[in-house]
Amino acid sequence: MSLSSLKIGAVSARVHVAPSGAMAVAAGTPNYVGGGGCFRHLCTRTQHEQRAFFHISNRAHRRADRHSKAVQHGLPSGNCKLRATRPKAAQPFTRSRGDFPGTERSLEDELTNLSSTRPSRAGLARSLALAIALASGGAMLIAPAFTDAAQAQKKDKKKQEGKAQYSKEFLDAYKPLETALAAPGADVGALKPQIMALVAIAASADELQAAGGLIYNAGANAKDMALQLQGMELLLASGKVAPDQLGRYNFTAYQLANELKNFTKARQYLQAAIDNNFTTERISTADLEITMAEIDFAEGKHAAGLDYLGRAIAHRKANGQPVDISWYRRGVAVAYSNQVIPQVYDLVVQWIGDYPTANNWRDAVNLTRNLNDFAGPEALDLLRLARKVGGLRDKQDYILYIEAADPRRLPKEVKDLIEQAYASGAVSKDDIFVADSLTTANGRIKTDLAELPALERDANAASAGLRTVFAAGDAFLSYGEYAKAAAFYEKSLGMAGVERNTALTRLGIAQIGMGNFAAAQATLAKVDGPRSPIAKLWSAYAAEKAAGGTTSGT
């Protein structure tokens, strides 16, 4: 299925030649293409991704009559009834739990647990499909009137000022073609040679406009979207589309090009629709912007689509506008599934910044874990964050944390963790590994507490080695003595051989523990390399706390 989830419906109506010489929709008729459709936001899942799309509701389409004066050269005259057909109903689909609006579906379903070190396809991927049927409440275009052939050939420019300009060659090609297309049961396919011949000789703005209207309507009647697009392109090329209709016409061209999978043109016309401020009651500029990103995603240009999405997010924030969570979910899903790094982490940070729920935080931690092969020290600092934000829920989460912390090295931290696991019901007290780890931790804490003063003294000594200083930082961090831990990490950063990114990460964690959120963000911003995504998440947590956030797991 293409990005446009519903087929573009064809409108059936007669072309009417209005004497005014201007293309217009009859007064009192429904809005032309794409307007006023009623939508519901639905979700459905494919094998690897969940797509959001707008569904056009079936509603009655109105009829309208327009009276006009007769025109010369045998062109149609009198009443022209504008008829619109209903768009096709959406195809049935199967939904399961989590697919309905209001039932939040997190990455947790796909990322399972932190033990996985390989990314799975994200299940929340959402594809916004703005598929407004061209027939939705709309009427066919009304082609412009032609002036008298002899008059059209006069050389007196003053007399011609303000009148439509058609060459005799164009009129001779247009009239029989229009008559043939208007005939009952007209075979548009068989008439394509004449249609292409008309396109070849259309030169003036009026000729491009007239040919465009005729060809667009012919394509609509024949359900030939390529022909419709050609007609719409001629209309736009004529330069005679009313300024307040340029957005609508360009959006129609986008829909047709997108359905035809001509993504280069689809991108061009969608951008023009955005530039001309096209919106409807159900389609916002924001919808169009994320759809632009979807065009890149459809072409496999994931980085380009994410860049566009990022700019659109930044633009909305700069204007004080909210960013819909579906933007983040879609962007994160695409970036995660296709391992677009580092954009995935930047999007995740913005996502949890705007929507800092425990579920979203857990998803953020899990996808970061799955996209990286973190060793014990890196995994430990990421799991520490998971604990802070309520992201530890399964038995495996706790076991990974226990293994990374090691009850012999960080007994107090492991003891507190296991007691939390028992209290939450995530781990049974019958689990031998966990029970043994708790026994080890309890036995080690007393010794630790007795040794901490000596460790602090040795680490503060001018002659202290890096190993002693760093060990002191780790010990005091695990006991929640954040000021002392921060001091030792700062000291280690001035020593030769320090693992700089580890020291910076843990200094940032200690500063958060102290409530010094601004300093923590500045510290964590210096982290690079494999620890960068971990630091970004901790920095996002610091920002949330600085703003008075309440996400917590401890």
Side-chain angles (χ1 to χ4, degrees):
M1 182 178 290
S2 70
L3 289 179
S4 294
S5 301
L6 302 178
K7 294 290 186 179
I8 296 179
V11 179
S12 175
R14 293 175 184 158
V15 175
H16 178 65
V17 180
S20 63
M23 186 166 292
V25 176
T29 63
N31 290 335
Y32 169 63
V33 294
C38 178
F39 297 80
R40 289 199 304 265
H41 195 200
L42 305 178
C43 297
T44 184
R45 262 189 322 194
T46 61
Q47 182 180 4
H48 293 302
E49 56 183 6
Q50 172 178 310
R51 299 183 180 275
F53 63 92
F54 287 93
H55 168 55
I56 304 170
S57 67
N58 291 324
R59 70 177 192 177
H61 294 278
R62 299 172 292 175
R63 296 176 180 269
D65 292 332
R66 178 177 174 90
H67 295 280
S68 66
K69 298 178 182 179
V71 291
Q72 300 179 21
H73 301 298
L75 296 174
S77 63
N79 290 343
C80 175
K81 293 184 178 180
L82 304 173
R83 296 179 285 114
T85 59
R86 296 176 183 267
K88 293 182 180 179
Q91 295 300 311
F93 61 93
T94 302
R95 296 188 287 194
S96 60
R97 183 178 65 83
D99 293 331
F100 294 90
T103 304
E104 183 175 352
R105 186 176 194 282
S106 71
L107 278 171
E108 178 181 351
D109 297 328
E110 308 305 324
L111 308 188
T112 60
N113 57 61
L114 291 172
S115 63
S116 172
T117 58
R118 292 297 175 202
S120 60
R121 301 286 292 185
L124 58 74
R126 295 178 138 198
S127 173
L128 176 66
L130 293 176
I132 301 176
L134 295 182
S136 178
M140 291 289 282
L141 294 174
I142 299 178
F146 298 119
T147 57
D148 178 81
Q151 187 180 29
Q153 297 300 318
K154 288 182 180 179
K155 296 181 181 181
D156 189 338
K157 294 184 179 180
K158 291 184 179 180
K159 290 184 179 181
Q160 288 299 306
E161 186 176 355
K163 296 185 179 295
Q165 299 295 309
Y166 306 102
S167 67
K168 182 177 184 302
E169 181 185 16
F170 181 83
L171 291 172
D172 289 344
Y174 180 93
K175 289 185 297 180
L177 177 59
E178 192 280 337
T179 300
L181 288 171
D187 186 345
V188 175
L191 292 169
K192 279 193 175 180
Q194 292 94 308
I195 291 173
M196 296 303 105
L198 181 68
V199 172
I201 60 178
S204 72
D206 294 305
E207 290 172 350
L208 291 171
Q209 184 187 40
L214 183 69
I215 292 169
Y216 175 85
N217 288 343
N221 283 326
K223 296 181 174 60
D224 185 333
M225 285 184 286
L227 200 59
Q228 283 182 280
L229 178 58
Q230 186 173 20
M232 188 57 64
E233 289 182 311
L234 290 171
L235 287 166
L236 290 167
S238 74
K240 303 200 74 173
V241 175
D244 64 347
Q245 291 297 307
L246 276 172
R248 189 178 298 277
Y249 278 49
N250 275 287
F251 183 73
T252 300
Y254 147 71
Q255 288 181 290
L256 291 163
N258 189 62
E259 193 72 13
L260 292 166
K261 293 182 171 54
N262 187 331
F263 298 121
T264 298
K265 286 187 175 182
R267 185 181 294 104
Q268 170 192 338
Y269 291 123
L270 181 57
Q271 186 61 59
I274 294 171
D275 294 342
N276 283 281
N277 303 310
F278 172 74
T279 59
T280 71
E281 182 181 349
R282 297 290 181 175
I283 302 175
S284 67
T285 300
D287 294 328
L288 299 182
E289 288 172 339
I290 195 171
T291 301
M292 180 68 81
E294 289 291 349
I295 296 174
D296 286 322
F297 297 157
E299 286 189 287
K301 298 177 180 178
H302 303 113
L306 291 167
D307 284 343
Y308 189 97
L309 181 59
R311 292 194 300 272
I313 289 172
H315 178 74
R316 291 189 68 78
K317 288 190 172 185
N319 287 285
Q321 299 172 310
V323 179
D324 191 275
I325 192 171
S326 65
W327 285 33
Y328 291 124
R329 288 186 178 280
R330 179 58 175 151
V332 168
V334 170
Y336 173 76
S337 298
N338 297 282
Q339 299 189 47
V340 183
I341 297 170
Q343 286 98 320
V344 63
Y345 303 122
D346 296 332
L347 270 172
V348 164
V349 166
Q350 293 183 78
W351 172 35
I352 55 180
D354 285 354
Y355 299 93
T357 67
N359 281 341
N360 290 346
W361 266 110
R362 175 177 165 78
D363 292 343
V365 169
N366 282 355
L367 73 84
T368 302
R369 169 69 179 173
N370 284 355
L371 286 173
N372 296 274
D373 292 322
F374 287 135
E378 289 79 20
L380 172 61
D381 291 338
L382 184 58
L383 290 164
R384 282 170 163 163
L385 177 60
R387 186 182 176 201
K388 290 285 187 184
V389 297
L392 301 179
R393 300 181 187 175
D394 302 329
K395 175 180 177 179
Q396 188 67 13
D397 295 341
Y398 286 99
I399 288 177
L400 285 168
Y401 195 156
I402 293 168
E403 289 176 338
D406 191 337
R408 297 165 299 177
R409 293 179 57 251
L410 306 174
K412 179 64 164 59
E413 189 169 348
V414 171
K415 177 181 183 296
D416 292 344
L417 177 68
I418 293 174
E419 289 176 348
Q420 177 184 328
Y422 285 161
S424 69
V427 178
S428 169
K429 293 184 178 181
D430 294 333
D431 186 284
I432 297 176
F433 169 77
V434 176
D436 286 348
S437 296
L438 180 58
T439 299
T440 301
N442 282 329
R444 180 64 188 163
I445 289 173
K446 184 177 180 179
T447 303
D448 257 16
L449 291 174
E451 295 176 351
L452 276 177
L455 177 61
E456 181 180 5
R457 183 187 65 246
D458 293 344
N460 275 322
S463 60
L466 174 62
R467 181 176 178 182
T468 300
V469 173
F470 210 91
D474 285 348
F476 284 107
L477 181 66
S478 71
Y479 277 93
E481 295 194 37
Y482 299 117
K484 291 182 179 180
F488 288 123
Y489 288 131
E490 286 176 337
K491 183 176 181 178
S492 74
L493 285 167
M495 304 177 75
V498 67
E499 209 303 299
R500 180 176 176 275
N501 287 316
T502 302
L504 285 170
T505 303
R506 292 180 181 172
L507 172 58
I509 294 171
Q511 289 168 330
I512 291 172
M514 296 165 63
N516 197 345
F517 304 120
Q521 289 177 275
T523 298
L524 293 163
K526 300 174 184 177
V527 177
D528 55 21
R531 278 183 166 268
S532 177
I534 300 172
K536 286 182 178 181
L537 290 180
W538 270 106
S539 185
Y541 179 70
E544 180 190 337
K545 289 301 179 185
T550 59
T551 303
S552 177
T554 57

